[in-house]
Amino acid sequence: KKSKKKKKKKLTIEDLEPYWNKGIPRINTLFQKDRFLLIYDKGWRMRNIFKKFYILKYNPFWWTDQKHDGKLWNLFNYKTDIIQALGGIHGMLEHTLFKGTYFPSWEGLFWEKSSGFEETMKFRKLTNAQRTGLNQIPNRRFTLWWSPTINRANVYIGFQVQLDLTGIFMHGKIPTLKISLIQIFRAHLWQKIHESLIIDLAQTLDSQTDTLGIEIVQKETIHPRKSYKMNSSCADIVLYCNSLWHCSSTTLISDLNDVFDQKFTSKYWIDIQLRWGDFDSHDIERYVRSRYLDFCTDLQSIYPSTTGLMIGFDLAYNLYSAYGNWIPGIKIVFIQCLSKLIKVNPSLFVLRERIRKGVQLYSSDPSAQSLSSKNYGSLFMNEVVWFVDDTNVYRVTIHKTAEGNFATKPINGAILIINPRTGQLFVKIMHSSLWDGHRRLGHYSKWKCAEEIVSLLNSIPKEELPGKLIVSRKVLLEPLEVHLLDTSNIKVIGTDLLIPFYTLMKLNHINDVVLKSKVSKLLIFNIYDNWLKNSSSYTAFARILLILRGLHINYKKTISILNINYKNLSFSKYLWPNLDAQEWINVEVILKDLIINDYCQRHKITTSSLTQVEIRDIILGLEQYLKPKSNSSSNIKHEKEMTSSKTVSKDNVVIKSFTKSPYERIKFKSKKNWKSRLQKKINTFAIVRNLFINKNEKFNANSRIFLISKHLVLKFASISDTCSETFGYIYGKDSIEFNNISEIICISIPPQLVSGLSLAMAIKHIPHKSTDDFEILGWIHLTAYTENQILSRNLRYHAKLITNIDGLNGNKSIFVILFVSNSYSTLKAFSLTAEGFRNSLSTNIEKLDKDNIKKYLRKVSISLSNKFQGFFLVPKNNLWNYHFFESAFNAEMNYTLKVGIPIDYFEDYHRPFHFRDFYFDNDKNNVEESDV
């Protein structure tokens, strides 16, 4: 500007073009024609601020004005541009622990906003220190998620500190991250991962001994701290050969052109290295190569020969690579083995589950669902399933000491394992001496229980191993998962069902044996006795469920119902009385009534108010998820309150009565939400103005092209309700210039009523003299439903119109759909195929899927045109929308048409009852202007 002033020249747009994309884009303000009038626009900024109070649509740029401040750049793609500038979604996830979770894709994942612990503690009385600690949990989650970016040498320059029992290096002091990582690698998980990978590789090599010419596969005895000792190493596996292997030069596993030109050897070692990478250094190939060269040349590392292989695993990014000498055939084996190992290794699975839990990132499609009433039937499939109940593992007696205090003393406990298909009951007695010398016995008992279960699994044949363990308490999930690292084919899941297996310990048969035992031992019972001779396992399990829940609710009454006499020796080999089928049915009915009555008494409801599904859930133990039918506090409140009611007798005598009964007091009021729909409709015109028509779709070269007046479409959209549907017949004629083009010039709007997906209108086609020169081409409707929801309905309706309306040509007729959503609109047209017309009136058409429906339809090319205007036909009384008074509508009603402009869907003429209600409300001095 200054340079132009010196040259005494005016500033033009051409002079500004080099600077157009630089700085704040306010330049167009200087060149608008009414820029001199802007100074008279007083108070414009204040009006902008107050617009948010009376305009429904949110405006993110309320702080600026296009005329006064100049037009901003187009920020609609701001989010996309920012993501791309940051390296795209995958580039951003590279900075996080996402790859450590090993989710296949970021799509379908969701954050759990707060843990159960946070929710339970939130409403308790806490000290300031406790409240501060609770507030640190989200910070810890954030730090863990971004830890590959935060915890790296480029951010914290200084001395590295290795985390205890892991190979993770902390760059700087980050206590929240340290807590999270220690929690993830608790219970020596780093060492267990290392050992698990060694075992899996050794087993793979053992299966390939003939192929690779291996004589012995030997797992070396290593120091327990070897997996996280980062300054030296040794061999984990050594392979021996009777003859000699011809070795290749040192290459990476990804290099496939090996040349076997090195010396011969009979010993070949394999070293496995674990690391925890960060954003700057997670190139696993570079890492494993440098480690190999360092350890093969230093004096501390000990390897049995000069030829070997180092395999590296990055646990934070789930990457792997290998570098070293190769013997013939081993590279192909490792390429296949390592790709499978990184996916299915059970110890890596435990690590990933802990990371997911630490960052509270979960998939919406969980692979292992817990047992619930929905998948309850899976217990009786071919797969062997065990229920594990650890409630009675650690039991104590309470006694009073000489000083008057109360003390506890451990007594014998038991692990209960039940096979629901066979009724087999394993009772693993846990002798009280197991707890001697240990502290925190509640925590220790979980891990000891898991250890005993795994030792039981190792002692039984592989054919009888269960495919799934269902734990009754979810606190046992983690100990079992850790102890079952070497048994990857056994799943451990929890359950939503509260099945009281622990009540089996109330039976004298079992409890006496457990208490009198001098050592820990295993007992085997059958809780089904001889029931499976006459009943299925499903029936037997349902029966045992009723008995156990009855014992839990009322032990004495259940024992008397079963008529168990422990003094009678005839029951010594059975747990339950020997009843026939009919007697058991009678017992089951009594027990069911006992359980349901107990539930109803606790929640103060009647048994008749329960549905069959709720009764099933109560018996299965899902009552914690059932919402009580009534609340005792609300009943008490009702009892205190008295309600008065007035009635008029046939003699016109007013009878006033007072009631204390809590029934029939619930108030309910419903109202049509037409006002909110009217507010949504405000933006329709702007959306339809940017109507999208897919011009890339391929149509038959000989197919007919339809042109529709843009003014007709815009007006049709502006009078419609986007939350409902609007229908109209379309008329047109062939183009004078082109034979294969039809022009849609008229839309006739008949009286109509739309409710949900059901479409009802006056099907009787009424012609008008203004359409004598045109032919009826089909129909058009505006909808907010998706294409999949309405295509089957439209197909049948179109065929019905072809049958009922004279002059509607089946080959030439079409139906046009104007889809309008909150953000976009599109126009599509379809016609029926010959097969579609034959099958369209079938009742099974609605059951067809998307692909089969489209066999009956043919997409038709349709475009908007500004060359011709078009016109509307409307009912002579202007009334076409019967949504607000449905009783006046009749599908066969007679009506006459006229040329005119259709009135709006929410026009006053369409809703006279609202004004009548307003009049009566006005008499009562209880009126709101917004109701009109």
Side-chain angles (χ1 to χ4, degrees):
K1 200 171 179 182
K2 286 180 182 178
S3 65
K4 288 291 176 184
K5 252 186 178 181
K6 286 178 184 178
K7 294 177 183 178
K8 295 182 180 179
K9 289 185 177 179
K10 287 185 178 181
L11 192 65
T12 62
I13 292 178
E14 286 77 15
D15 297 324
L16 293 169
E17 278 183 354
Y19 308 100
W20 199 257
N21 291 324
K22 295 178 182 177
I24 300 174
R26 309 293 198 196
I27 207 69
N28 73 327
T29 311
L30 302 175
F31 296 99
Q32 58 188 5
K33 60 183 179 181
D34 56 348
R35 62 185 180 275
F36 302 109
L37 301 174
L38 294 178
I39 56 171
Y40 299 107
D41 189 11
K42 303 291 185 185
W44 61 270
R45 198 174 294 278
M46 190 60 69
R47 284 197 299 276
N48 269 8
I49 292 170
F50 274 91
K51 269 186 183 178
K52 65 182 178 183
F53 297 109
Y54 64 87
I55 291 181
L56 188 66
K57 187 178 179 183
Y58 174 68
N59 178 19
F61 308 119
W62 58 269
W63 43 272
T64 184
D65 185 88
Q66 285 190 11
K67 288 183 178 179
H68 290 271
D69 294 334
K71 190 182 290 184
L72 285 172
W73 290 124
N74 187 355
L75 296 179
F76 292 115
N77 294 327
Y78 178 77
K79 183 179 178 183
T80 308
D81 293 342
I82 288 293
I83 289 172
Q84 291 306 315
L86 293 172
I89 290 174
H90 295 289
M92 291 164 69
L93 290 176
E94 199 78 8
H95 283 78
T96 69
L97 210 54
F98 170 73
K99 288 195 174 178
T101 62
Y102 207 66
F103 282 118
S105 170
W106 56 271
E107 293 173 341
L109 303 182
F110 65 94
W111 298 99
E112 192 71 48
K113 290 185 179 178
S114 60
S115 64
F117 173 74
E118 286 176 75
E119 288 298 316
T120 54
M121 296 294 287
K122 190 161 56 176
F123 301 107
R124 292 188 184 178
K125 288 183 179 178
L126 300 174
T127 63
N128 288 336
Q130 288 173 321
R131 183 72 62 190
T132 306
L134 198 64
N135 292 336
Q136 286 178 355
I137 293 174
N139 300 341
R140 190 192 303 172
R141 189 165 60 236
F142 173 87
T143 310
L144 178 62
W145 175 245
W146 292 103
S147 60
T149 305
I150 297 169
N151 183 37
R152 51 183 175 145
N154 288 5
V155 175
Y156 290 94
I157 300 170
F159 186 68
Q160 292 182 346
V161 178
Q162 191 173 348
L163 212 58
D164 297 338
L165 304 178
T166 69
I168 303 172
F169 287 96
M170 300 294 294
H171 304 273
K173 189 175 182 181
I174 318 171
T176 51
L177 178 59
K178 184 178 179 181
I179 291 167
S180 299
L181 292 173
I182 288 173
Q183 197 173 24
I184 287 170
F185 287 98
R186 64 187 177 274
H188 304 275
L189 184 60
W190 188 281
Q191 293 161 265
K192 287 173 181 174
I193 291 170
H194 186 259
E195 188 177 19
S196 176
L197 291 170
I198 293 170
I199 294 296
D200 283 354
L201 282 172
Q203 289 174 346
T204 303
L205 291 167
D206 189 48
S207 65
Q208 300 289 332
T209 50
D210 296 334
T211 310
L212 301 174
I214 301 170
E215 183 66 26
I216 299 171
V217 178
Q218 181 176 307
K219 179 187 176 297
E220 295 290 278
T221 304
I222 59 172
H223 195 278
R225 288 196 290 270
K226 185 261 175 186
S227 61
Y228 51 86
K229 188 170 171 54
M230 294 299 177
N231 55 0
S232 64
S233 189
C234 63
D236 292 309
I237 301 171
V238 180
L239 309 181
Y240 295 91
C241 178
N242 283 341
S243 57
L244 294 174
W245 282 307
H246 199 180
C247 293
S248 73
S249 56
T250 54
T251 58
L252 286 164
I253 193 171
S254 54
D255 299 332
L256 299 178
N257 300 321
D258 291 327
V259 180
F260 295 91
D261 56 354
Q262 300 297 307
K263 61 181 182 180
F264 291 89
T265 183
S266 60
K267 282 184 184 178
Y268 185 78
W269 53 266
I270 297 168
D271 181 11
I272 295 174
Q273 291 287 320
L274 303 182
R275 77 171 304 218
W276 187 262
D278 57 46
F279 177 72
D280 290 331
S281 61
H282 61 271
D283 186 347
I284 190 64
E285 292 185 344
R286 183 179 177 182
Y287 176 82
V288 76
R289 183 177 179 274
S290 65
R291 284 285 166 181
Y292 179 88
L293 296 174
D294 290 346
F295 292 157
C296 285
T297 53
D298 69 5
L299 299 174
Q300 290 181 325
S301 302
I302 304 168
Y303 292 113
S305 70
T306 56
T307 53
L309 178 70
M310 183 176 288
I311 302 172
F313 291 91
D314 190 329
L315 302 181
Y317 282 85
N318 279 302
L319 301 171
Y320 65 89
S321 188
Y323 182 83
N325 306 106
W326 301 89
I327 60 176
I330 201 168
K331 183 172 276 191
I332 301 298
V333 171
F334 274 138
I335 287 172
Q336 296 172 350
C337 165
L338 293 177
S339 64
K340 184 181 178 183
L341 198 64
I342 199 80
K343 293 177 186 174
V344 301
N345 184 268
S347 56
L348 292 177
F349 173 78
V350 172
L351 171 65
R352 290 159 188 164
E353 284 295 313
R354 287 186 182 179
I355 293 172
R356 292 172 187 182
K357 192 176 179 182
V359 297
Q360 292 182 11
L361 186 67
Y362 300 101
S363 173
S364 55
D365 184 23
S367 55
Q369 292 182 343
S370 60
L371 183 70
S372 64
S373 57
K374 293 179 181 177
N375 56 5
Y376 167 69
S378 63
L379 293 174
F380 311 101
M381 300 295 183
N382 295 329
E383 185 182 34
V384 180
V385 178
W386 280 6
F387 267 107
V388 179
D389 186 274
D390 66 322
T391 313
N392 291 295
V393 169
Y394 175 62
R395 298 197 299 171
V396 295
T397 56
I398 301 173
H399 60 277
K400 202 169 186 178
T401 61
E403 292 83 9
N405 300 322
F406 289 96
T408 59
K409 180 184 176 184
I411 59 172
N412 291 357
I415 306 168
L416 303 178
I417 301 171
I418 300 97
N419 184 340
R421 281 181 63 205
T422 61
Q424 200 172 30
L425 170 66
F426 297 97
V427 180
K428 174 65 180 178
I429 298 175
M430 308 286 282
H431 194 263
S432 57
S433 60
L434 290 172
W435 316 121
D436 294 345
H438 292 282
R439 293 182 177 180
R440 297 179 65 205
L441 294 178
H443 179 264
Y444 174 71
S445 63
K446 294 185 297 185
W447 292 89
K448 188 64 180 173
C449 174
E451 186 184 318
E452 293 293 335
I453 292 168
V454 172
S455 65
L456 173 62
L457 290 170
N458 293 333
S459 65
I460 62 176
K462 285 188 176 180
E463 300 79 30
E464 297 178 16
L465 280 174
K468 192 186 293 179
L469 293 179
I470 303 173
V471 294
S472 60
R473 300 196 307 162
K474 291 186 179 179
V475 291
L476 195 61
L477 278 172
E478 186 188 335
L480 268 177
E481 285 172 354
V482 173
H483 280 286
L484 286 170
L485 288 178
D486 301 326
T487 321
S488 59
N489 55 341
I490 298 179
K491 292 180 184 176
V492 184
I493 64 170
T495 175
D496 296 332
L497 311 180
L498 295 177
I499 303 176
F501 287 119
Y502 51 84
T503 53
L504 287 167
M505 293 295 289
K506 292 183 178 181
L507 299 176
N508 293 354
H509 277 64
I510 298 172
N511 195 35
D512 290 349
V513 177
V514 171
L515 286 174
K516 292 175 183 176
S517 178
K518 301 294 182 184
V519 291
S520 297
K521 60 182 179 181
L522 182 69
L523 304 175
I524 300 175
F525 297 87
N526 195 313
I527 55 172
Y528 292 168
D529 288 349
N530 59 350
W531 298 346
L532 296 180
K533 291 180 181 178
N534 305 316
S535 306
S536 66
S537 55
Y538 187 92
T539 305
F541 189 77
R543 185 180 299 165
I544 207 72
L545 203 57
L546 288 167
I547 293 172
L548 294 179
R549 199 160 296 285
L551 290 170
H552 170 68
I553 290 169
N554 194 327
Y555 175 77
K556 289 184 179 179
K557 194 167 184 178
T558 305
I559 291 295
S560 65
I561 291 168
L562 294 170
N563 196 20
I564 297 177
N565 184 0
Y566 290 110
K567 295 178 182 178
N568 194 336
L569 296 177
S570 62
F571 294 149
S572 58
K573 71 172 185 175
Y574 291 136
L575 290 174
W576 316 111
N578 192 9
L579 306 176
D580 60 26
Q582 188 56 46
E583 288 173 327
W584 271 120
I585 290 171
N586 297 335
V587 168
E588 288 165 11
V589 171
I590 296 169
L591 289 173
K592 187 191 87 169
D593 292 341
L594 174 70
I595 295 163
I596 299 304
N597 289 334
D598 171 76
Y599 177 85
C600 293
Q601 283 176 6
R602 283 188 285 114
H603 294 285
K604 292 183 171 56
I605 58 173
T606 58
T607 54
S608 59
S609 64
L610 293 173
T611 63
Q612 289 301 314
V613 175
E614 288 171 335
I615 290 171
R616 180 202 66 186
D617 289 346
I618 291 165
I619 293 169
L620 287 174
L622 275 169
E623 66 174 75
Q624 74 273 23
Y625 298 109
L626 290 175
K627 292 181 180 178
K629 299 279 181 177
S630 65
N631 194 347
S632 59
S633 62
S634 64
N635 285 347
I636 294 167
K637 187 178 177 182
H638 280 310
E639 284 174 12
K640 291 179 181 177
E641 294 173 355
M642 293 181 66
T643 56
S644 62
S645 57
K646 289 182 181 180
T647 55
V648 181
S649 68
K650 61 181 180 180
D651 300 321
N652 291 327
V653 177
V654 177
I655 303 170
K656 194 172 184 179
S657 58
F658 294 87
T659 55
K660 289 184 179 180
S661 170
Y663 306 110
E664 301 295 340
R665 293 196 193 174
I666 298 172
K667 293 181 180 179
F668 178 81
K669 189 177 181 181
S670 178
K671 205 172 185 180
K672 287 190 176 180
N673 60 341
W674 65 273
K675 289 181 219 171
S676 59
R677 286 163 54 187
L678 176 58
Q679 289 172 337
K680 286 182 183 178
K681 184 179 176 295
I682 294 170
N683 302 322
T684 306
F685 191 78
I687 294 168
V688 177
R689 279 186 66 180
N690 300 319
L691 189 65
F692 172 76
I693 298 177
N694 190 357
K695 296 181 179 178
N696 296 325
E697 287 187 6
K698 295 179 180 178
F699 301 96
N700 192 343
N702 300 322
S703 64
R704 179 164 288 278
I705 299 170
F706 289 84
L707 296 179
I708 186 168
S709 169
K710 186 176 182 180
H711 302 285
L712 276 180
V713 173
L714 290 176
K715 185 60 183 175
F716 184 75
S718 67
I719 64 158
S720 304
D721 176 21
T722 53
C723 298
S724 182
E725 292 185 273
T726 307
F727 169 92
Y729 296 110
I730 52 177
Y731 294 83
K733 62 180 180 178
D734 294 342
S735 173
I736 301 170
E737 300 175 1
F738 304 97
N739 293 330
N740 65 332
I741 293 180
S742 292
E743 297 173 348
I744 300 170
I745 297 173
C746 173
I747 297 179
S748 173
I749 301 183
Q752 55 197 270
L753 172 65
V754 180
S755 178
L757 274 171
S758 63
L759 194 63
M761 67 273 307
I763 294 173
K764 192 183 292 182
H765 174 241
I766 306 295
H768 190 262
K769 61 181 180 181
S770 60
T771 59
D772 290 345
D773 297 331
F774 307 127
E775 63 178 323
I776 183 166
L777 297 177
W779 55 290
I780 182 172
H781 76 111
L782 179 143
T783 183
Y785 292 109
T786 61
E787 187 175 318
N788 297 339
Q789 289 175 298
I790 62 171
L791 272 186
S792 61
R793 183 204 69 182
N794 285 10
L795 193 149
R796 287 186 295 111
Y797 191 76
H798 189 60
K800 195 173 180 182
L801 289 181
I802 292 172
T803 309
N804 293 343
I805 297 177
D806 295 331
L808 191 59
N809 188 342
N811 297 323
K812 196 175 178 181
S813 65
I814 62 169
F815 61 89
V816 183
I817 309 175
L818 177 57
F819 295 98
V820 180
S821 72
N822 292 331
S823 56
Y824 78 97
S825 60
T826 183
L827 193 69
K828 292 186 179 181
F830 300 87
S831 65
L832 277 180
T833 61
E835 185 184 359
F837 182 75
R838 284 195 303 271
N839 297 311
S840 59
L841 298 175
S842 168
T843 54
N844 294 324
I845 197 97
E846 292 181 357
K847 298 180 182 178
L848 294 176
D849 57 12
K850 179 182 173 183
D851 295 325
N852 287 330
I853 285 286
K854 290 190 175 179
K855 289 179 184 177
Y856 297 155
L857 294 172
R858 187 190 306 111
K859 283 191 178 180
V860 178
S861 175
I862 188 166
S863 298
L864 299 177
S865 175
N866 288 320
K867 290 183 179 179
F868 51 92
Q869 294 287 332
F871 63 96
F872 284 91
L873 291 175
V874 295
K876 199 166 185 178
N877 62 356
N878 290 326
L879 184 61
W880 60 268
N881 174 25
Y882 283 78
H883 175 75
F884 297 105
F885 48 112
E886 300 172 4
S887 58
F889 179 78
N890 180 12
E892 296 298 325
M893 65 195 298
N894 288 316
Y895 62 96
T896 53
L897 295 170
K898 67 174 181 179
V899 177
I901 298 173
I903 61 175
D904 193 84
Y905 187 96
F906 296 98
E907 189 69 24
D908 305 347
Y909 195 59
H910 281 153
R911 47 188 187 90
F913 295 114
H914 294 166
F915 292 84
R916 185 199 64 183
D917 296 341
F918 175 79
Y919 175 79
F920 288 119
D921 287 344
N922 198 19
D923 284 349
K924 298 173 185 177
N925 297 319
N926 184 21
V927 63
E928 288 181 36
E929 287 187 3
S930 60
D931 286 335
V932 180

